[in-house]
């Protein structure tokens, strides 16, 4: 199995993987929209004998501080692995590869919406503990699901931040 950057030839394989993993077409639509908007900062695939069995996308996010300044980071997601090859560390490898690359780029922080029980192994912690919120969930109704990770050696020194994802994440209107 190989982990490498997404290539155009992976388009159908990624779409098939995401639609099956999420049981719907929304995540694959978002991924295509991010690519079309040049907002696919990093997209990695896991390929096994020519078949795309895993995918992860990282896209830009903007944080608005209480002082009114903007800070720039990265959002993780979606990430998916084909059902028949789960529990083998493929998602973990995609996440670790991605975070390592983004650290080298100097990206200061990463946010995501997901299961805290899974993501805490990578160092993510509930964002609301640092008063970071997702603009679509200002009251933290999703509890600890919105998570944050500093990608630099020092902890994040800013609190009271509202995070916005790229417009590609907004549901399409009919
Ligand atoms: C979540 C997902 C990407 C994990 O892929 P994977 O390759 O099986 O993950 P890994 O093998 O690296 O890690 C497996 C570990 O994650 C844990 N895990 C997986 N899904 C979890 C969840 N929803 N909540 C908590 N833990 C979870 C497993 O219990 C396992 O734990 P262990 O290492 O202690 O046994 C995969 O299950 C998937 O594609 N699910 C459908 C899409 C999805 O929900 N994506 C995440 C939201 S964007």
């Amino acid at each position: 199995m190989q982990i490498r950057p997404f290539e155009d030839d992976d388009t159908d394989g990624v779409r098939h993987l995401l639609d099956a993993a999420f049981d719907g077409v929304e995540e694959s639509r978002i991924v295509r929209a991010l690519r079309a908007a040049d907002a696919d900062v990093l997209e990695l695939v896991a390929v096994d004998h020519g078949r795309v069995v895993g995918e992860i996308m990282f896209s830009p996010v903007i944080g608005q501080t209480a002082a009114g300044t903007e800070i720039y980071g990265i959002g993780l997601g979606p990430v998916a692995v084909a059902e028949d090859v789960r529990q083998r560390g493929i998602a973990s490898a995609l996440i670790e590869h991605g975070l390592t690359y983004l650290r080298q780029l100097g990206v200061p922080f990463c946010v995501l919406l997901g299961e805290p029980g899974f993501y805490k192994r990578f160092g993510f912690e509930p964002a609301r503990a640092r008063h970071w919120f997702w603009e679509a969930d200002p009251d933290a109704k999703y509890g600890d699901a919105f998570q944050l990770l500093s990608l630099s050696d020092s902890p994040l020194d800013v609190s009271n931040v509202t995070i916005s994802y790229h417009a590609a994440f907004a549901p399409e209107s009919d």
Side-chain angles (χ1 to χ4, degrees):
M1 207 213 38
Q2 182 193 16
I3 289 182
R4 58 161 172 75
F6 168 86
E7 296 168 1
D8 285 346
D9 283 354
D10 302 320
T11 303
D12 290 345
V14 168
R15 183 175 188 155
H16 178 76
L17 167 75
L18 292 176
D19 292 351
F22 290 99
D23 200 17
V25 298
E26 182 59 5
E27 279 74 12
S28 65
R29 180 199 66 77
I30 290 168
V31 163
R32 286 196 307 280
L34 287 168
R35 289 183 202 134
D38 244 352
D40 50 340
V41 174
L42 178 64
E43 181 176 10
L44 297 174
V45 289
V47 180
D48 187 30
H49 293 93
R51 173 184 165 223
V52 176
V53 294
E55 189 263 3
I56 191 166
M57 177 67 91
F58 294 90
S59 61
V61 298
I62 299 177
Q64 186 85 33
T65 70
T69 55
E70 287 187 344
I71 56 176
Y72 301 94
I74 205 86
L76 185 165
V79 55
V81 169
E83 199 161 2
D84 59 315
V85 292
R86 288 181 189 163
Q87 302 289 342
R88 297 183 194 177
I90 296 175
S92 299
L94 287 165
I95 293 167
E96 294 286 12
H97 272 73
L99 294 177
T100 299
Y101 177 78
L102 294 163
R103 280 191 183 97
Q104 287 166 0
L105 275 187
V107 175
F109 66 86
C110 182
V111 293
L112 63 83
L113 190 68
E115 284 292 335
F118 178 52
Y119 291 102
K120 71 179 177 199
R121 69 192 67 191
F122 309 103
F124 284 90
E125 55 182 354
R128 62 176 172 169
R130 291 182 182 273
H131 302 284
W132 284 49
F133 298 96
W134 173 31
E135 66 167 350
D137 185 26
D139 302 322
K141 291 198 178 79
Y142 289 107
D144 288 345
F146 186 58
Q147 295 162 68
L148 172 64
L149 174 68
S150 169
L151 295 178
S152 76
D153 292 337
S154 47
L156 291 161
D157 59 358
V158 55
S159 62
N160 297 306
V161 175
T162 301
I163 292 288
S164 306
Y165 280 85
H166 190 275
F169 281 87
E172 268 190 334
S173 49
D174 295 329

